Amino acid sequence: MGYEVDQTEIETQQVLLIRAETAPAGIGPTYREALAELDGYLEAKEIEPAGPPFARFPVYTPDRVVMEVGVPVGSRVGGQGRIEAGDLPGGAVATTVHVGSYKNLGAAHAALTEWLGSKGKTGGAPWEIYVVGPPEIADSSLWRTQIVYPILDR
């Protein structure tokens, strides 16, 4: 699948997040557990998310993944326990949309990395925004994931 990469400017987004460490094979279960905890917190505090959930990946190696599972919020909200207030960075980003199963997200990340390299740029810690996915739609061929890389100058 070919990916269209766009460069745009985005605003800093306030979020609530949970940081977790896992192996690459544990990303799915770690994400689901953290998102369930965040959803429970938002419901208890009567806070509406300001957008779809995301996962940001400050560290991603073949053996170790540090991820931040989060939801955007409309204003600064305090955390509790392992839930923290944070931000997704604003500024110049490269972004693309992947349609289909999460198993194939690597191709979209590769397209973004290649695009950045072709422009003489590097990308910061990427994040995936799960625009449409489970539980809204069971058919994984219809899932939509926006992938965002902050653009860093070399």
Side-chain angles (χ1 to χ4, degrees), residues 55-96:
R56 184 171 183 239
F57 301 95
V59 176
Y60 197 113
T61 70
D63 302 319
R64 178 175 170 253
V65 175
V66 175
M67 59 190 293
E68 299 170 345
V69 176
V71 291
V73 291
S75 61
R76 182 65 62 205
V77 178
Q80 176 180 311
R82 67 184 193 143
I83 298 173
E84 307 173 27
D87 295 304
L88 285 176
V93 298
T95 184
T96 195

mmCIF file of all heavy atoms in Angstrom, residues 55-96:
data_model
loop_
_atom_site.group_PDB
_atom_site.id
_atom_site.type_symbol
_atom_site.label_atom_id
_atom_site.label_comp_id
_atom_site.label_asym_id
_atom_site.label_seq_id
_atom_site.Cartn_x
_atom_site.Cartn_y
_atom_site.Cartn_z
ATOM 1 N N ALA A 55 -1.219 6.128 21.144
ATOM 2 C CA ALA A 55 -0.045 5.547 21.804
ATOM 3 C C ALA A 55 1.174 6.227 21.209
ATOM 4 O O ALA A 55 1.314 6.325 19.986
ATOM 5 C CB ALA A 55 0.023 4.043 21.599
ATOM 6 N N ARG A 56 2.044 6.722 22.082
ATOM 7 C CA ARG A 56 3.287 7.376 21.666
ATOM 8 C C ARG A 56 4.430 6.459 22.060
ATOM 9 O O ARG A 56 4.375 5.788 23.091
ATOM 10 C CB ARG A 56 3.408 8.729 22.357
ATOM 11 C CG ARG A 56 4.620 9.527 21.930
ATOM 12 C CD ARG A 56 4.532 10.942 22.493
ATOM 13 N NE ARG A 56 5.640 11.733 22.048
ATOM 14 C CZ ARG A 56 6.520 12.323 22.859
ATOM 15 N NH1 ARG A 56 6.394 12.219 24.169
ATOM 16 N NH2 ARG A 56 7.495 13.023 22.367
ATOM 17 N N PHE A 57 5.482 6.444 21.258
ATOM 18 C CA PHE A 57 6.573 5.494 21.445
ATOM 19 C C PHE A 57 7.926 6.202 21.576
ATOM 20 O O PHE A 57 8.686 6.273 20.604
ATOM 21 C CB PHE A 57 6.599 4.500 20.273
ATOM 22 C CG PHE A 57 5.309 3.735 20.136
ATOM 23 C CD1 PHE A 57 4.320 4.173 19.265
ATOM 24 C CD2 PHE A 57 5.078 2.614 20.898
ATOM 25 C CE1 PHE A 57 3.124 3.480 19.149
ATOM 26 C CE2 PHE A 57 3.881 1.908 20.791
ATOM 27 C CZ PHE A 57 2.900 2.345 19.915
ATOM 28 N N PRO A 58 8.268 6.703 22.787
ATOM 29 C CA PRO A 58 9.565 7.352 22.976
ATOM 30 C C PRO A 58 10.751 6.405 22.775
ATOM 31 O O PRO A 58 11.820 6.831 22.362
ATOM 32 C CB PRO A 58 9.525 7.850 24.418
ATOM 33 C CG PRO A 58 8.078 7.911 24.771
ATOM 34 C CD PRO A 58 7.419 6.834 23.974
ATOM 35 N N VAL A 59 10.571 5.109 23.071
ATOM 36 C CA VAL A 59 11.628 4.112 22.872
ATOM 37 C C VAL A 59 10.998 2.903 22.198
ATOM 38 O O VAL A 59 9.986 2.377 22.672
ATOM 39 C CB VAL A 59 12.261 3.677 24.213
ATOM 40 C CG1 VAL A 59 13.293 2.576 23.998
ATOM 41 C CG2 VAL A 59 12.873 4.862 24.943
ATOM 42 N N TYR A 60 11.597 2.483 21.081
ATOM 43 C CA TYR A 60 11.121 1.284 20.392
ATOM 44 C C TYR A 60 12.333 0.557 19.831
ATOM 45 O O TYR A 60 12.944 1.008 18.866
ATOM 46 C CB TYR A 60 10.169 1.660 19.261
ATOM 47 C CG TYR A 60 9.327 0.499 18.773
ATOM 48 C CD1 TYR A 60 7.960 0.489 18.961
ATOM 49 C CD2 TYR A 60 9.903 -0.602 18.129
ATOM 50 C CE1 TYR A 60 7.172 -0.575 18.536
ATOM 51 C CE2 TYR A 60 9.130 -1.666 17.707
ATOM 52 C CZ TYR A 60 7.763 -1.645 17.910
ATOM 53 O OH TYR A 60 6.992 -2.698 17.502
ATOM 54 N N THR A 61 12.695 -0.548 20.474
ATOM 55 C CA THR A 61 13.793 -1.392 20.010
ATOM 56 C C THR A 61 13.235 -2.806 19.821
ATOM 57 O O THR A 61 12.110 -3.088 20.239
ATOM 58 C CB THR A 61 14.958 -1.423 21.034
ATOM 59 O OG1 THR A 61 14.538 -2.152 22.190
ATOM 60 C CG2 THR A 61 15.406 -0.010 21.417
ATOM 61 N N PRO A 62 14.018 -3.710 19.227
ATOM 62 C CA PRO A 62 13.522 -5.077 19.052
ATOM 63 C C PRO A 62 13.173 -5.787 20.368
ATOM 64 O O PRO A 62 12.384 -6.723 20.367
ATOM 65 C CB PRO A 62 14.681 -5.787 18.348
ATOM 66 C CG PRO A 62 15.395 -4.698 17.617
ATOM 67 C CD PRO A 62 15.287 -3.498 18.523
ATOM 68 N N ASP A 63 13.744 -5.326 21.475
ATOM 69 C CA ASP A 63 13.526 -5.986 22.763
ATOM 70 C C ASP A 63 12.704 -5.181 23.760
ATOM 71 O O ASP A 63 12.197 -5.742 24.734
ATOM 72 C CB ASP A 63 14.879 -6.303 23.429
ATOM 73 C CG ASP A 63 15.753 -7.177 22.554
ATOM 74 O OD1 ASP A 63 15.221 -8.112 21.936
ATOM 75 O OD2 ASP A 63 16.965 -6.911 22.473
ATOM 76 N N ARG A 64 12.602 -3.872 23.558
ATOM 77 C CA ARG A 64 12.021 -3.009 24.589
ATOM 78 C C ARG A 64 11.236 -1.875 23.958
ATOM 79 O O ARG A 64 11.721 -1.209 23.036
ATOM 80 C CB ARG A 64 13.155 -2.441 25.446
ATOM 81 C CG ARG A 64 12.729 -1.494 26.514
ATOM 82 C CD ARG A 64 13.966 -1.104 27.379
ATOM 83 N NE ARG A 64 13.627 -0.022 28.250
ATOM 84 C CZ ARG A 64 14.034 1.232 28.108
ATOM 85 N NH1 ARG A 64 14.831 1.569 27.120
ATOM 86 N NH2 ARG A 64 13.670 2.158 28.966
ATOM 87 N N VAL A 65 10.022 -1.662 24.485
ATOM 88 C CA VAL A 65 9.188 -0.552 24.036
ATOM 89 C C VAL A 65 8.744 0.235 25.269
ATOM 90 O O VAL A 65 8.224 -0.335 26.217
ATOM 91 C CB VAL A 65 7.932 -1.052 23.280
ATOM 92 C CG1 VAL A 65 7.016 0.111 22.918
ATOM 93 C CG2 VAL A 65 8.331 -1.834 22.043
ATOM 94 N N VAL A 66 9.017 1.530 25.237
ATOM 95 C CA VAL A 66 8.442 2.436 26.229
ATOM 96 C C VAL A 66 7.322 3.159 25.493
ATOM 97 O O VAL A 66 7.560 3.754 24.438
ATOM 98 C CB VAL A 66 9.477 3.437 26.787
ATOM 99 C CG1 VAL A 66 8.805 4.430 27.717
ATOM 100 C CG2 VAL A 66 10.604 2.694 27.490
ATOM 101 N N MET A 67 6.117 3.041 26.026
ATOM 102 C CA MET A 67 4.977 3.649 25.351
ATOM 103 C C MET A 67 4.175 4.498 26.314
ATOM 104 O O MET A 67 4.206 4.277 27.526
ATOM 105 C CB MET A 67 4.099 2.578 24.697
ATOM 106 C CG MET A 67 3.525 1.547 25.627
ATOM 107 S SD MET A 67 2.734 0.137 24.785
ATOM 108 C CE MET A 67 1.329 0.898 24.005
ATOM 109 N N GLU A 68 3.519 5.491 25.748
ATOM 110 C CA GLU A 68 2.610 6.355 26.492
ATOM 111 C C GLU A 68 1.239 6.191 25.859
ATOM 112 O O GLU A 68 1.033 6.553 24.706
ATOM 113 C CB GLU A 68 3.062 7.810 26.410
ATOM 114 C CG GLU A 68 4.430 8.044 27.001
ATOM 115 C CD GLU A 68 4.987 9.422 26.726
ATOM 116 O OE1 GLU A 68 4.460 10.138 25.839
ATOM 117 O OE2 GLU A 68 5.974 9.780 27.377
ATOM 118 N N VAL A 69 0.322 5.603 26.604
ATOM 119 C CA VAL A 69 -1.046 5.418 26.142
ATOM 120 C C VAL A 69 -1.844 6.591 26.689
ATOM 121 O O VAL A 69 -1.780 6.880 27.884
ATOM 122 C CB VAL A 69 -1.623 4.082 26.641
ATOM 123 C CG1 VAL A 69 -3.080 3.940 26.229
ATOM 124 C CG2 VAL A 69 -0.777 2.926 26.135
ATOM 125 N N GLY A 70 -2.582 7.279 25.827
ATOM 126 C CA GLY A 70 -3.254 8.468 26.314
ATOM 127 C C GLY A 70 -4.516 8.831 25.576
ATOM 128 O O GLY A 70 -4.882 8.227 24.569
ATOM 129 N N VAL A 71 -5.160 9.846 26.129
ATOM 130 C CA VAL A 71 -6.332 10.458 25.514
ATOM 131 C C VAL A 71 -6.176 11.973 25.614
ATOM 132 O O VAL A 71 -5.723 12.492 26.636
ATOM 133 C CB VAL A 71 -7.660 10.020 26.183
ATOM 134 C CG1 VAL A 71 -7.956 8.558 25.910
ATOM 135 C CG2 VAL A 71 -7.639 10.270 27.660
ATOM 136 N N PRO A 72 -6.523 12.690 24.544
ATOM 137 C CA PRO A 72 -6.481 14.146 24.614
ATOM 138 C C PRO A 72 -7.625 14.670 25.486
ATOM 139 O O PRO A 72 -8.701 14.080 25.537
ATOM 140 C CB PRO A 72 -6.651 14.593 23.165
ATOM 141 C CG PRO A 72 -7.158 13.423 22.428
ATOM 142 C CD PRO A 72 -6.887 12.195 23.228
ATOM 143 N N VAL A 73 -7.347 15.768 26.181
ATOM 144 C CA VAL A 73 -8.356 16.418 27.022
ATOM 145 C C VAL A 73 -8.384 17.899 26.675
ATOM 146 O O VAL A 73 -7.409 18.445 26.188
ATOM 147 C CB VAL A 73 -8.083 16.192 28.530
ATOM 148 C CG1 VAL A 73 -8.318 14.728 28.902
ATOM 149 C CG2 VAL A 73 -6.679 16.612 28.920
ATOM 150 N N GLY A 74 -9.519 18.540 26.939
ATOM 151 C CA GLY A 74 -9.714 19.927 26.544
ATOM 152 C C GLY A 74 -8.988 20.936 27.410
ATOM 153 O O GLY A 74 -8.741 22.059 26.988
ATOM 154 N N SER A 75 -8.647 20.554 28.631
ATOM 155 C CA SER A 75 -7.926 21.466 29.526
ATOM 156 C C SER A 75 -7.076 20.630 30.465
ATOM 157 O O SER A 75 -7.236 19.410 30.563
ATOM 158 C CB SER A 75 -8.920 22.326 30.320
ATOM 159 O OG SER A 75 -9.758 21.505 31.105
ATOM 160 N N ARG A 76 -6.157 21.292 31.150
ATOM 161 C CA ARG A 76 -5.238 20.588 32.046
ATOM 162 C C ARG A 76 -6.037 19.887 33.133
ATOM 163 O O ARG A 76 -6.852 20.486 33.820
ATOM 164 C CB ARG A 76 -4.236 21.571 32.656
ATOM 165 C CG ARG A 76 -3.199 20.949 33.553
ATOM 166 C CD ARG A 76 -2.229 19.997 32.867
ATOM 167 N NE ARG A 76 -1.438 20.653 31.862
ATOM 168 C CZ ARG A 76 -0.890 20.009 30.830
ATOM 169 N NH1 ARG A 76 -1.047 18.721 30.684
ATOM 170 N NH2 ARG A 76 -0.187 20.659 29.954
ATOM 171 N N VAL A 77 -5.809 18.590 33.252
ATOM 172 C CA VAL A 77 -6.490 17.756 34.234
ATOM 173 C C VAL A 77 -5.422 17.036 35.039
ATOM 174 O O VAL A 77 -4.447 16.543 34.471
ATOM 175 C CB VAL A 77 -7.396 16.713 33.529
ATOM 176 C CG1 VAL A 77 -8.057 15.812 34.538
ATOM 177 C CG2 VAL A 77 -8.420 17.400 32.651
ATOM 178 N N GLY A 78 -5.598 16.971 36.344
ATOM 179 C CA GLY A 78 -4.649 16.259 37.188
ATOM 180 C C GLY A 78 -4.803 14.762 37.042
ATOM 181 O O GLY A 78 -5.871 14.257 36.700
ATOM 182 N N GLY A 79 -3.737 14.044 37.302
ATOM 183 C CA GLY A 79 -3.763 12.602 37.226
ATOM 184 C C GLY A 79 -3.962 11.970 38.593
ATOM 185 O O GLY A 79 -4.225 12.656 39.586
ATOM 186 N N GLN A 80 -3.816 10.663 38.609
ATOM 187 C CA GLN A 80 -3.971 9.916 39.850
ATOM 188 C C GLN A 80 -3.279 8.575 39.663
ATOM 189 O O GLN A 80 -3.469 7.928 38.633
ATOM 190 C CB GLN A 80 -5.461 9.717 40.141
ATOM 191 C CG GLN A 80 -5.760 8.878 41.363
ATOM 192 C CD GLN A 80 -7.259 8.741 41.562
ATOM 193 O OE1 GLN A 80 -7.986 9.731 41.523
ATOM 194 N NE2 GLN A 80 -7.720 7.526 41.744
ATOM 195 N N GLY A 81 -2.495 8.151 40.645
ATOM 196 C CA GLY A 81 -1.772 6.898 40.501
ATOM 197 C C GLY A 81 -0.811 6.980 39.339
ATOM 198 O O GLY A 81 -0.031 7.917 39.237
ATOM 199 N N ARG A 82 -0.909 6.033 38.433
ATOM 200 C CA ARG A 82 0.008 6.068 37.291
ATOM 201 C C ARG A 82 -0.517 6.899 36.117
ATOM 202 O O ARG A 82 0.140 7.021 35.091
ATOM 203 C CB ARG A 82 0.392 4.659 36.849
ATOM 204 C CG ARG A 82 -0.711 3.832 36.260
ATOM 205 C CD ARG A 82 -0.196 2.423 35.958
ATOM 206 N NE ARG A 82 -1.150 1.708 35.121
ATOM 207 C CZ ARG A 82 -0.824 0.871 34.169
ATOM 208 N NH1 ARG A 82 0.434 0.624 33.917
ATOM 209 N NH2 ARG A 82 -1.750 0.253 33.461
ATOM 210 N N ILE A 83 -1.683 7.508 36.267
ATOM 211 C CA ILE A 83 -2.221 8.407 35.249
ATOM 212 C C ILE A 83 -1.611 9.788 35.451
ATOM 213 O O ILE A 83 -1.684 10.351 36.542
ATOM 214 C CB ILE A 83 -3.759 8.473 35.321
ATOM 215 C CG1 ILE A 83 -4.360 7.092 35.052
ATOM 216 C CG2 ILE A 83 -4.294 9.513 34.343
ATOM 217 C CD1 ILE A 83 -5.854 7.007 35.270
ATOM 218 N N GLU A 84 -0.994 10.319 34.388
ATOM 219 C CA GLU A 84 -0.298 11.612 34.457
ATOM 220 C C GLU A 84 -0.906 12.600 33.464
ATOM 221 O O GLU A 84 -1.387 12.200 32.413
ATOM 222 C CB GLU A 84 1.175 11.460 34.059
ATOM 223 C CG GLU A 84 1.968 10.425 34.769
ATOM 224 C CD GLU A 84 3.356 10.287 34.143
ATOM 225 O OE1 GLU A 84 3.874 11.265 33.554
ATOM 226 O OE2 GLU A 84 3.923 9.188 34.236
ATOM 227 N N ALA A 85 -0.795 13.879 33.799
ATOM 228 C CA ALA A 85 -1.086 14.934 32.825
ATOM 229 C C ALA A 85 0.161 15.112 31.969
ATOM 230 O O ALA A 85 1.280 14.993 32.458
ATOM 231 C CB ALA A 85 -1.433 16.230 33.536
ATOM 232 N N GLY A 86 -0.035 15.372 30.686
ATOM 233 C CA GLY A 86 1.098 15.566 29.794
ATOM 234 C C GLY A 86 0.672 16.312 28.554
ATOM 235 O O GLY A 86 -0.429 16.870 28.492
ATOM 236 N N ASP A 87 1.557 16.318 27.560
ATOM 237 C CA ASP A 87 1.300 17.003 26.294
ATOM 238 C C ASP A 87 1.813 16.163 25.137
ATOM 239 O O ASP A 87 2.859 15.516 25.255
ATOM 240 C CB ASP A 87 2.028 18.346 26.231
ATOM 241 C CG ASP A 87 1.527 19.347 27.253
ATOM 242 O OD1 ASP A 87 0.321 19.620 27.253
ATOM 243 O OD2 ASP A 87 2.346 19.835 28.049
ATOM 244 N N LEU A 88 1.109 16.229 24.024
ATOM 245 C CA LEU A 88 1.678 15.823 22.746
ATOM 246 C C LEU A 88 2.251 17.095 22.144
ATOM 247 O O LEU A 88 1.581 18.136 22.147
ATOM 248 C CB LEU A 88 0.602 15.236 21.830
ATOM 249 C CG LEU A 88 0.118 13.831 22.171
ATOM 250 C CD1 LEU A 88 -1.008 13.414 21.235
ATOM 251 C CD2 LEU A 88 1.254 12.831 22.109
ATOM 252 N N PRO A 89 3.485 17.031 21.650
ATOM 253 C CA PRO A 89 4.134 18.261 21.208
ATOM 254 C C PRO A 89 3.505 18.858 19.956
ATOM 255 O O PRO A 89 3.023 18.128 19.083
ATOM 256 C CB PRO A 89 5.573 17.823 20.935
ATOM 257 C CG PRO A 89 5.491 16.359 20.702
ATOM 258 C CD PRO A 89 4.329 15.857 21.500
ATOM 259 N N GLY A 90 3.518 20.166 19.890
ATOM 260 C CA GLY A 90 3.082 20.874 18.703
ATOM 261 C C GLY A 90 4.272 21.164 17.811
ATOM 262 O O GLY A 90 5.410 20.863 18.143
ATOM 263 N N GLY A 91 3.981 21.741 16.657
ATOM 264 C CA GLY A 91 5.037 22.101 15.718
ATOM 265 C C GLY A 91 4.886 21.362 14.409
ATOM 266 O O GLY A 91 3.822 20.818 14.092
ATOM 267 N N ALA A 92 5.966 21.315 13.645
ATOM 268 C CA ALA A 92 5.960 20.659 12.342
ATOM 269 C C ALA A 92 5.938 19.147 12.517
ATOM 270 O O ALA A 92 6.706 18.600 13.313
ATOM 271 C CB ALA A 92 7.183 21.075 11.536
ATOM 272 N N VAL A 93 5.054 18.496 11.762
ATOM 273 C CA VAL A 93 4.959 17.037 11.814
ATOM 274 C C VAL A 93 4.796 16.488 10.404
ATOM 275 O O VAL A 93 4.314 17.162 9.497
ATOM 276 C CB VAL A 93 3.779 16.549 12.688
ATOM 277 C CG1 VAL A 93 3.945 16.981 14.132
ATOM 278 C CG2 VAL A 93 2.434 16.996 12.127
ATOM 279 N N ALA A 94 5.207 15.230 10.250
ATOM 280 C CA ALA A 94 4.897 14.441 9.062
ATOM 281 C C ALA A 94 3.858 13.427 9.498
ATOM 282 O O ALA A 94 3.977 12.826 10.572
ATOM 283 C CB ALA A 94 6.148 13.744 8.543
ATOM 284 N N THR A 95 2.825 13.245 8.673
ATOM 285 C CA THR A 95 1.731 12.369 9.071
ATOM 286 C C THR A 95 1.201 11.595 7.870
ATOM 287 O O THR A 95 1.291 12.053 6.732
ATOM 288 C CB THR A 95 0.612 13.182 9.758
ATOM 289 O OG1 THR A 95 -0.410 12.308 10.216
ATOM 290 C CG2 THR A 95 0.037 14.229 8.860
ATOM 291 N N THR A 96 0.680 10.420 8.153
ATOM 292 C CA THR A 96 -0.001 9.626 7.146
ATOM 293 C C THR A 96 -1.113 8.853 7.833
ATOM 294 O O THR A 96 -1.164 8.788 9.064
ATOM 295 C CB THR A 96 0.962 8.675 6.397
ATOM 296 O OG1 THR A 96 0.323 8.184 5.223
ATOM 297 C CG2 THR A 96 1.420 7.514 7.267
#
